[in-house]
Amino acid sequence: MWDYSETVKEHFYNPRNAGPLPEANAIGEVGSISCGDALRLMLKVEPESEKIVDASFQTFGCGSAIASSSALTEMIKGKTLDEALAVSNQDIADFLGGLPPEKMHCSVMGREALQSAVANFRGEEWKDDHEEGELICKCFAIDSVMIEETIRANNLCSVEQVTNYTKAGGGCSSCHEGIEEILARVLAERGETFSPAPPPEKKKPGKLSTLERIRRIEQVIEKARPNLQRDHGDIELVDVDGKTIYVAMKGACSGCQMEALTLGGVQQQMIEALGEIVKLVPVKLKTPPPLVNPS
Amino acid sequence: MSTPNSLLKPIYLDNNATTRCSPEAVAAILPFFTEQFGNPSSMHSFGAKVGHAVKAARASLQKLLGAEYDSEIIYTSGGSEADNTAILSALKANPEKKEIITTTVEHHAVLHLCDQLEKEGYKVHKLKVDGRGRLDLAEYQALLSDKVAVVSVMWANNETGTFFPVEKMAEMAKAAGVLFHTDAVQAVGKIPLDLKNSAIDMLSLSGHKLHGPKGIGALYLRRGVRFRPLLRGGGQERGRRAGTENVPAIVGLGVAAEQALEHMKEENTRVRDLRDRLQNAILSAVPCCFATGDVDNRLPNTLNIAFEYVEGEAILMLLSKQGIAASSGSACTSGSLEPSHVMRAMGIPYTAAHGTIRFSLSRENTVEEIDRVAAAVPGIIAQLRKLSPYWNGDGPVTDPDKAFAPTYA
């Protein structure tokens, strides 16, 4: 049995707003019956104010799917559509007192149902960009799709690199075999053969002058930008202070759930380009909070 | 006034997952943690006494299996180790043979090993099953050849209870000069066995499936079968499985084997009748559900029901709230993206495969318990169907305009 929080159990045993909503004027239907979770979210929306006056759900799914659906309806009732759209899957999970990593997709399904219902109300076509993969790293809840995409985007070729970029494999090590299988598959796509041996260490560059160092930093930033711009985001160099490099995350990258992952990837490339350990800090963290004196 | 759920005695119907270690087995085990602590390999009296106990347990297992010699029993840490030992031994002992035959519905102890062996260059043939979980023996016969190192086929499926005709399949393998192993973890202790009069070369069993302790199992290895150990080291088990014997568990397994033999008739009469009573009660009270597998040819204690349009983990949680323990083949219970490989292999549709519940009984269950479960299930299914987008009041949604069509289904 999963280790569900009391809130999850409460919402599962006593789901709120369950069943059909005949007067619904916004309906979202998402899920994957092959994976065993599917949700129909029904909203009654006041047309003028776009306020959600009622919400209900029907779910085919496990305890956490039902609890996530119930929580979502409670969270969005009384909100406008735009306010409701600001609810993230993490908000749903937090409302429930957390979900096991294997069950986080239930909260994602809730958020997607909401997006689908809003699009349905506004006469828009909603297309999910959701692709869920098998959960590979249970320590850090990283699935196969994220690992595959990171390998492709950054030309990774070893488990160590995957760990540096995604955290996957940095915990109990039980997923290393799975990561190697993904590496073998993705490397085969680009005509390469995966070797479990770590890649040969690159020759460390000699000491760089300040100007050369800044140029290298700029080159790494420039190399990263097209990928981010494709997702309506961007990154910009702000300042360099010794081993700390300050950057500004812009557009969709700013406040994105994947911001830390993006920064981690760019930081790794920066370390490789400079041949030294550096830290990438988003500009909002430039002024760290004062240290609390424990005494 | 009804008794609150919290005060009801829990009902355990998950005996294919594990069984309660019998009180007699526990009583027999305990002295081997205290006064009888010797190493059976030791030459002094402390070891000798313990050595006799290990030998006595082996004789009990020999009797349960209907084996010709007690030396045909090798103690292991459990069913998974026995499965791995059998298959890997066959490959190492026959290095010129690079093929394996198994089925799509084996336990993961066999399937995952075979998947790994496939990556290492072996050719693995997985026999398919039909909608009732049955094999096609003609397909099997066609695959048997001198290239096959070993056939590994379970005696009874852990999810549906369906029997495979392993004695017949072993004869066919023998005729082709191929070693035959059966994972009999679910069958041992539930049905009479007579290995000495069969062509089965190797058989795996597990102690905790027959009211013995966890962490102990055995591999039956027919005398004369070529063998290579999985664990090398000391000379325990005649050099076939290194490591100091888990004496307390071995003693417990011996007692469990004796008791299984004593209760064999009960298992195939009273327990089977209880299972049938539960099946009939549920199928007659709950619409849109069916028993999976080969219902006329299965373990006497096992009932696997697919409840359409609801999900298994949710059913388990509601059963658990009423003190009832069972298990499910849904994806959600395992945290995977796919429902049970057994259900998929039988072609059970997703809307039913995710809603499978396995009730597995034991000699400890009573009529009262079965009736309580039978009374609880219909309400639970109805409760969840009220939440299901595939269900419309008293039946599945049939109106195409109201059909549920999730975006990335």
Side-chain angles (χ1 to χ4, degrees), chain A residues 1-2 4 12-13 15 18 29-40 58-63 66 102-103 109 112 126 128 130 132-134 177 181, chain B residues 116 119 309-311 313-314 316-318 320-321 331-335 337-339 350-351 354 383-384 387-391 402-409:
Chain A
M1 195 68 86
W2 301 104
Y4 286 140
F12 168 69
Y13 291 128
E29 295 182 346
V30 298
S32 167
I33 190 58
S34 62
C35 298
D37 282 315
L39 161 63
R40 172 189 281 150
Q58 289 175 292
T59 294
F60 173 94
C62 57
I66 289 167
E102 292 90 343
K103 299 292 187 174
M109 185 171 72
E112 287 174 339
W126 179 76
D128 76 280
H130 169 101
E132 189 184 334
E134 181 191 357
E177 207 173 358
E181 283 173 16
Chain B
Q116 182 58 34
K119 287 177 200 161
Y309 315 113
V310 287
E311 197 278 332
E313 188 211 282
L316 290 183
M317 284 179 74
L318 291 173
S320 182
K321 201 180 178 201
C332 293
T333 45
S334 60
L337 296 180
E338 279 278 320
Y350 281 120
T351 44
H354 283 291
Q383 183 180 336
L384 289 171
L387 302 179
S388 174
Y390 293 100
W391 196 257
K402 293 182 181 171
F404 178 59
T407 304
Y408 48 90

Side-chain angles (χ1 to χ4, degrees), chain B residues 281-396:
Chain B
I282 291 174
L283 295 188
S284 61
V286 180
C288 296
C289 72
F290 55 92
T292 70
D294 190 355
V295 293
D296 299 322
N297 181 40
R298 61 181 162 163
L299 290 167
N301 76 318
T302 305
L303 167 61
N304 187 292
I305 298 187
F307 296 98
E308 293 184 87
Y309 315 113
V310 287
E311 197 278 332
E313 188 211 282
I315 301 170
L316 290 183
M317 284 179 74
L318 291 173
L319 282 169
S320 182
K321 201 180 178 201
Q322 297 199 36
I324 300 161
S327 68
S328 169
S330 81
C332 293
T333 45
S334 60
S336 71
L337 296 180
E338 279 278 320
S340 134
H341 65 287
V342 177
M343 296 303 136
R344 295 304 299 141
M346 291 193 297
I348 307 286
Y350 281 120
T351 44
H354 283 291
T356 54
I357 298 292
R358 180 187 67 188
F359 302 99
S360 44
L361 287 64
S362 81
R363 60 181 185 248
E364 296 187 341
N365 291 122
T366 64
V367 172
E368 292 71 24
E369 288 179 333
I370 293 307
D371 289 349
R372 214 178 96 199
V373 176
V377 168
I380 287 170
I381 303 303
Q383 183 180 336
L384 289 171
R385 281 178 176 165
K386 276 183 192 167
L387 302 179
S388 174
Y390 293 100
W391 196 257
N392 184 22
D394 53 4

Side-chain angles (χ1 to χ4, degrees), chain B residues 173-348:
Chain B
K174 187 179 179 181
V178 176
L179 285 176
F180 188 90
H181 163 253
T182 181
D183 172 350
V185 162
Q186 293 296 346
V188 171
K190 292 177 190 146
I191 56 166
L193 300 177
D194 182 19
L195 292 184
K196 65 179 172 291
N197 292 312
S198 81
I200 291 164
D201 297 303
M202 294 177 282
L203 174 147
S204 299
L205 66 94
S206 172
H208 74 105
K209 306 289 191 185
L210 54 134
H211 300 281
K214 294 169 182 64
I216 187 69
L219 174 66
Y220 161 83
L221 178 73
R222 177 177 297 284
R223 182 175 280 197
V225 169
R226 293 174 71 190
F227 182 77
R228 298 289 181 276
L230 181 69
L231 293 181
R232 293 173 188 272
Q236 296 90 349
E237 299 299 293
R238 299 174 183 236
R240 296 174 301 179
R241 200 279 188 181
T244 302
E245 295 88 342
N246 181 359
V247 176
I250 287 170
V251 169
L253 174 58
V255 173
E258 281 172 26
Q259 291 186 298
L261 212 48
E262 287 165 20
H263 290 278
M264 192 66 72
K265 191 176 175 194
E266 183 191 2
E267 189 79 36
N268 289 275
T269 51
R270 192 185 71 84
V271 175
R272 190 197 58 215
D273 291 348
L274 286 179
R275 188 272 317 272
D276 292 345
R277 184 185 181 100
L278 181 62
Q279 175 177 304
N280 294 338
I282 291 174
L283 295 188
S284 61
V286 180
C288 296
C289 72
F290 55 92
T292 70
D294 190 355
V295 293
D296 299 322
N297 181 40
R298 61 181 162 163
L299 290 167
N301 76 318
T302 305
L303 167 61
N304 187 292
I305 298 187
F307 296 98
E308 293 184 87
Y309 315 113
V310 287
E311 197 278 332
E313 188 211 282
I315 301 170
L316 290 183
M317 284 179 74
L318 291 173
L319 282 169
S320 182
K321 201 180 178 201
Q322 297 199 36
I324 300 161
S327 68
S328 169
S330 81
C332 293
T333 45
S334 60
S336 71
L337 296 180
E338 279 278 320
S340 134
H341 65 287
V342 177
M343 296 303 136
R344 295 304 299 141
M346 291 193 297
I348 307 286

Side-chain angles (χ1 to χ4, degrees), chain B residues 76-123:
Chain B
T76 65
S77 66
S80 293
E81 189 196 322
D83 285 341
N84 275 252
T85 303
I87 292 168
L88 292 171
S89 164
L91 298 178
K92 284 179 183 166
N94 300 280
E96 72 290 353
K97 297 183 172 189
K98 301 291 182 191
E99 294 185 19
I100 302 163
I101 298 174
T102 185
T103 78
T104 52
V105 295
E106 294 299 303
H107 189 274
H108 285 144
V110 169
L111 276 185
H112 286 176
L113 172 63
C114 287
D115 289 345
Q116 182 58 34
L117 290 166
E118 207 163 20
K119 287 177 200 161
E120 293 172 18
Y122 288 93
K123 188 170 184 180

